[in-house]
Amino acid sequence: MRTVELLLDEAADAAVREAWRRLADAGLPSQARHRSPTNSPHLTLASCPELTAPIRWELAEVAAALPLPVRFDGVIRFERPTSVLAWSLELDSTLAGLHRRVWEAVVSDSPPETLSPFHEPGRWSPHITLGRTRRPGAFAGRRVPELLPPPPLLAHLTTLRSFDTETGTLEILTARA
């Protein structure tokens, strides 16, 4: 699978990494424990089996719209097949529009059964993952948000990239020249 992700500006990236460190120091699940050089704070927009030429064409337009300002909303928890602790992002009309463009690009040239329903517009919840585990309820304690630094009030999504889950490689997706 190939993800389509957005990276944060340097200050927001540093704030997320500080949150990762604090969770790890407290013995909680944290993205800081993922030592892969490809691990960095990001916002996942979609995933698909392959970045075909038609998908890449549309994503180049998305890349041209960056940087995009975003606001952090606070802490959010998900209990899907995994427990996730994250900082949520405000889904304003600009971010929603950018996400819809990415979704429409991957839908246009991917088998429907390969797409995650969690990425569909209307179901997608923009967030930056702080920690994840297969242990249900791992972040249910009220003290967890107190461990975290405050999220940035405003940040910028600066770079569009794709991660290939089979090869473990990253690719920066750029605007057309």
Side-chain angles (χ1 to χ4, degrees), residues 1-121:
M1 290 297 281
R2 296 290 301 262
T3 63
V4 180
E5 306 170 348
L6 289 167
L7 300 179
L8 297 163
D9 63 64
E10 287 183 35
D13 183 276
V16 172
R17 290 178 189 275
E18 174 63 15
W20 289 0
R21 184 193 63 76
R22 289 186 188 190
L23 288 170
D25 288 351
L28 292 166
S30 168
Q31 294 304 100
R33 299 188 196 288
H34 296 269
R35 298 289 183 208
S36 168
T38 62
N39 182 39
S40 60
H42 65 275
L43 171 63
T44 302
L45 299 166
S47 61
C48 58
E50 177 184 1
L51 292 183
T52 63
I55 293 172
R56 287 176 179 280
W57 181 263
E58 295 300 323
L59 294 180
E61 287 189 18
V62 171
L66 300 175
L68 178 72
V70 292
R71 293 192 177 280
F72 281 73
D73 273 342
V75 175
I76 190 169
R77 294 178 181 94
F78 300 106
E79 291 292 335
R80 294 179 177 164
T82 58
S83 292
V84 175
L85 180 73
W87 275 336
S88 65
L89 298 176
E90 180 181 301
L91 186 57
D92 64 15
S93 61
T94 306
L95 181 56
L98 185 134
H99 173 255
R100 181 169 291 286
R101 289 171 66 190
V102 169
W103 178 256
E104 289 172 355
V106 299
V107 165
S108 73
D109 207 29
S110 299
E113 67 277 4
T114 64
L115 302 175
S116 170
F118 293 122
H119 294 143
E120 287 181 33

